[in-house]
Every structure is written in structure tokens, then in C-alpha cells.
């Protein structure tokens, strides 16, 4: 496993982090299987884990806390997210600040997270949604200061909405945020335009989420794919999205090198961008952990393939199903 500096925190975090949504927010998740996968990730050098209260109303946070107690001698960096008070994902333009992140809500859910994890301090707390119209509000900025002074959080960040990487620029310019989590993959390259240069300039850490485009960049989703009732992906992969996503993924198949999977190619593409501090694929099963962590070997992709993949950028606009 290779490690990268995590912005101004100076943490050395694993290139391959661990996204924990699938451990509580999707169907077919199993706690025993999750624990084994998490332990294997630690054994393979993963030291950055990202969860949220919204993943099973704190259940994923509980799993992460248990992981830390099983590995007391390993430095693990743990991140979680505060849900918006109105529990609306993503933040819509009409969502007002008072209904999203009032001070008492920020404090309450930080404390809930700490209780779920059985910890007195968390390394990174994040706002789970964001709208830059809130950036000028001093309430959230003072709340961050108070939480840091109280020793309850070490760093603070935001998770920006799907396909809106620039809807967070004003917040980052306040200087109050240490990290930003954004969708970045072969299709979603637009963070490179404005967000990444700002993060480089301000020494803000970048967490690349959704590296597989919710599964299409694994090459295993087809136009006939269905999801179990209650699975979030069933509401995301509506026909309009499923069909176009599969078409874009199919266009990549001829480019996958011999002996490499599309998923490996997707992770290696992200690793080529040195602004990214860590990427957080979901890894519910042991074979996912082994395959994903093996990509952190410093080899990346050939410059020819990388440039070819850059041509597959797919700029999308938020929709009712983009969540």
C-alpha cells in the first residue's frame, strides 16, 4: 500500500481508503462479513475509513468503532458525516441553512457519532450535503471552531453534491475546511477544472468517492441488471440512467488491458491524479478488498491509456434521480 499526504493535516493516508456505505445502507449487508472485510483491509494497509450517520442511522459508525478497538496498535484515520437536519440528500437550492445545519444539530450529531463509535474524538467530520449559499453563515464556522477546541474533532470537511464539484468552492475559500469529498472517476472528471486547483492552492485534502460510478465502472452492470427491493441502487439506476451508464461503460471495454479488470483500470485512473489524497471504494467482501488494495503499487496506467481514458469524460447535470 502506498500513502499520500492528506492536505494540511499532514496525515499519511492510504491511497485506497474504505467507503462504508454498503455496510449498512444497501441490502444484503452482513455484519460478520463486513467485519472480516474491514480487518482484511487493515491487514492490507488501508488506514482511512469513511462512514456516516446516514449509513444505517449510525450502524456503520458502530462497525467502524469496533474495528478500531480490534486494532488498537494500528493508526487508523476515521471519518464520518453529519446528516442534514431535514434529511434531504442532496441539498437542493431551496434548502435553507436553518433546516440543514443549525449549530445545535451540528453539535448533536457529532456527539451521536462519537457515541456510536465509542470514541472521544473523530479524525474527520464532514457535512454530508452542501450548498454554497450557506458559506457566509458564521454559525457553522463557529461550530467547527468549538468542536475542535473541545477536542471532539481533529479536522472538518464537506461532501459535495453529485455532479456539482464547484458547489463548495466558496465554503473552501473560508479557510474553515480541511478536506472535501467529491465524486471523481473516469466519467466524472470535472473536479479537475476548478476544485482540484483550489485544493492544491489551499492545501485542502481530496477524498475521491464513487470511483466505480455506483458500479458501472466495474463492467458488471448491464441493461438487464435489477436490484433487490429496498436497495438504493434501484432508485438511482432508473432506465434513463442505467441505459446511458451501461453505454458509456461498454465504450471502455476495448481499452481494458489484458489481465486487468475494468474496476482495476478505474482505480488506477484515479491514482494518476496526485491531487487526490485517497479514494474510497466500497468493499463489502474479501475479494473486493484484495483486488482494490492490490492496485496501490505505484504503477498507475500507461500515459497512452490514461490520455485515452481522459476522452471519456462525461459531464452530467443533477436530476431527480441523481441523489
Amino acid at each position: 500500500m502506498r500513502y499520500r499526504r492528506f492536505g494540511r493535516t499532514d496525515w499519511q493516508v492510504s491511497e485506497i481508503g474504505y467507503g462504508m456505505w454498503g455496510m449498512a445502507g444497501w441490502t444484503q449487508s452482513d455484519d460478520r462479513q463486513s467485519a472480516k472485510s474491514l480487518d482484511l483491509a487493515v491487514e492490507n494497509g488501508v488506514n482511512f475509513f469513511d462512514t456516516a450517520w446516514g449509513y444505517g442511522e449510525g450502524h456503520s459508525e458502530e462497525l467502524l468503532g469496533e474495528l478500531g478497538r480490534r486494532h488498537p496498535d494500528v493508526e487508523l484515520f476515521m471519518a464520518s458525516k453529519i446528516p442534514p437536519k431535514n434529511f434531504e440528500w442532496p441539498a437542493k437550492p431551496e434548502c435553507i441553512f436553518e433546516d440543514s445545519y443549525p449549530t445545535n444539530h451540528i453539535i448533536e450529531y457529532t456527539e451521536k457519532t462519537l457515541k456510536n463509535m465509542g470514541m472521544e474524538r473523530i479524525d474527520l467530520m464532514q457535512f454530508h450535503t452542501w450548498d454554497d449559499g450557506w458559506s457566509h453563515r458564521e454559525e457553522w464556522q463557529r461550530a467547527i471552531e468549538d468542536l475542535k477546541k473541545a477536542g471532539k474533532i481533529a479536522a472538518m470537511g464537506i461532501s459535495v453534491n453529485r455532479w456539482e464539484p464547484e458547489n463548495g468552492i466558496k465554503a473552501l475559500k473560508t479557510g474553515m475546511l480541511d478536506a472535501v469529498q467529491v465524486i471523481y472517476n473516469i466519467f466524472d472528471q470535472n473536479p479537475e477544472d476548478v476544485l482540484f486547483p483550489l485544493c492544491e492552492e489551499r492545501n485542502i485534502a481530496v477524498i475521491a468517492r464513487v470511483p466505480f460510478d455506483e458500479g458501472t465502472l466495474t463492467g458488471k452492470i448491464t441493461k438487464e441488471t435489477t436490484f433487490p427491493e429496498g436497495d438504493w441502487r434501484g432508485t438511482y439506476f432508473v432506465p434513463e440512467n442505467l441505459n446511458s451508464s451501461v453505454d458509456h461503460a461498454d465504450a471502455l471495454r476495448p481499452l481494458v488491458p489484458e489481465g486487468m479488470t475494468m474496476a482495476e483500470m478505474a482505480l488506477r485512473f484515479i491514482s494518476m491524479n496526485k491531487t487526490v489524497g485517497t479514494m474510497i471504494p466500497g468493499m463489502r467482501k474479501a475479494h473486493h478488498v484484495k483486488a482494490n488494495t492490490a492496485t496501490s503499487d505505484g504503477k498507475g496506467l500507461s500515459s497512452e491509456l490514461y490520455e485515452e481514458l481522459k476522452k471519456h469524460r462525461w459531464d452530467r447535470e443533477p436530476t431527480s434521480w441523481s441523489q
Side-chain angles (χ1 to χ4, degrees):
M1 179 64 66
R2 295 170 71 88
Y3 299 85
R4 299 187 180 195
R5 181 170 169 272
F6 196 71
R8 58 187 179 227
T9 69
D10 277 337
W11 303 336
Q12 291 296 312
V13 302
S14 51
E15 279 187 336
I16 305 297
Y18 204 120
M20 294 182 62
W21 184 8
M23 309 214 134
W26 295 15
T27 57
Q28 300 178 333
S29 57
D30 175 271
D31 285 356
R32 286 177 297 178
Q33 174 181 273
S34 296
K36 290 180 180 178
S37 297
L38 288 165
D39 287 337
L40 180 61
V42 173
E43 293 169 16
N44 284 20
V46 174
N47 72 356
F48 185 89
F49 296 82
D50 178 82
T51 185
W53 182 90
Y55 303 165
E57 297 185 352
H59 184 58
S60 181
E61 293 177 331
E62 293 172 351
L63 295 176
L64 182 51
E66 292 168 2
L67 176 71
R69 287 186 287 279
R70 290 198 302 274
H71 299 274
D73 298 327
V74 181
E75 185 176 32
L76 303 179
F77 297 100
M78 301 183 181
S80 193
K81 309 181 199 74
I82 302 167
K85 185 177 181 180
N86 57 15
F87 298 103
E88 284 197 22
W89 282 270
K92 297 179 175 62
E94 60 268 23
C95 292
I96 63 173
F97 176 79
E98 288 78 7
D99 291 340
S100 301
Y101 294 105
T103 300
N104 61 346
H105 178 77
I106 294 172
I107 303 299
E108 176 188 356
Y109 273 82
T110 297
E111 292 176 345
K112 282 188 176 184
T113 290
L114 294 174
K115 182 178 179 180
N116 289 335
M117 297 177 69
M119 300 169 61
E120 295 184 355
R121 185 182 81 159
I122 187 169
D123 298 303
L124 176 66
M125 184 56 85
Q126 303 156 94
F127 293 113
H128 204 157
T129 61
W130 193 255
D131 185 274
D132 246 359
W134 307 332
S135 298
H136 69 286
R137 299 295 293 260
E138 292 188 1
E139 295 95 323
W140 66 267
Q141 299 180 37
R142 300 293 82 79
I144 292 172
E145 289 181 337
D146 291 345
L147 287 168
K148 286 185 175 181
K149 287 178 182 177
K152 295 183 177 180
I153 66 173
M156 190 73 191
I158 55 172
S159 180
V160 296
N161 298 347
R162 185 184 297 273
W163 304 332
E164 294 184 289
E166 295 175 26
N167 184 10
I169 297 297
K170 292 178 182 177
L172 296 176
K173 286 183 176 180
T174 66
M176 297 300 301
L177 299 168
D178 306 291
V180 61
Q181 184 172 145
V182 64
I183 291 180
Y184 179 65
N185 55 49
I186 293 172
F187 296 152
D188 298 299
Q189 300 178 36
N190 48 359
E192 296 178 4
D193 299 345
V194 178
L195 180 63
F196 284 2
L198 177 68
C199 290
E200 286 282 350
E201 175 190 330
R202 301 292 180 105
N203 204 10
I204 296 168
V206 172
I207 304 166
R209 79 177 194 267
V210 195
F212 301 132
D213 189 46
E214 307 297 5
T216 49
L217 283 170
T218 65
K220 295 179 180 179
I221 291 181
T222 71
K223 293 181 180 180
E224 288 70 47
T225 297
T226 59
F227 301 96
E229 185 176 352
D231 192 305
W232 169 84
R233 291 168 294 179
T235 63
Y236 175 73
F237 282 113
V238 296
E240 174 192 357
N241 187 30
L242 178 65
N243 292 335
S244 58
S245 295
V246 171
D247 285 342
H248 278 81
D250 285 347
L252 294 173
R253 294 187 188 280
L255 301 178
V256 181
E258 185 177 353
M260 186 181 294
T261 65
M262 187 182 294
E264 178 183 347
M265 183 175 75
L267 293 181
R268 289 185 179 279
F269 174 85
I270 298 171
S271 74
M272 297 286 283
N273 192 301
K274 300 309 177 185
T275 304
V276 174
T278 186
M279 63 191 91
I280 50 171
M283 301 187 281
R284 288 191 291 172
K285 299 179 180 179
H287 69 87
H288 296 147
V289 175
K290 292 176 182 177
N292 293 344
T293 56
T295 65
S296 181
D297 55 12
K299 296 180 180 178
L301 298 170
S302 69
S303 57
E304 294 79 11
L305 176 55
Y306 181 66
E307 291 304 319
E308 193 61 34
L309 292 175
K310 295 278 283 184
K311 299 175 184 177
H312 287 260
R313 171 171 168 159
W314 180 17
D315 291 338
R316 292 176 269 189
E317 297 290 335
T319 69
S320 59
W321 44 260
S322 59
Q323 303 177 49

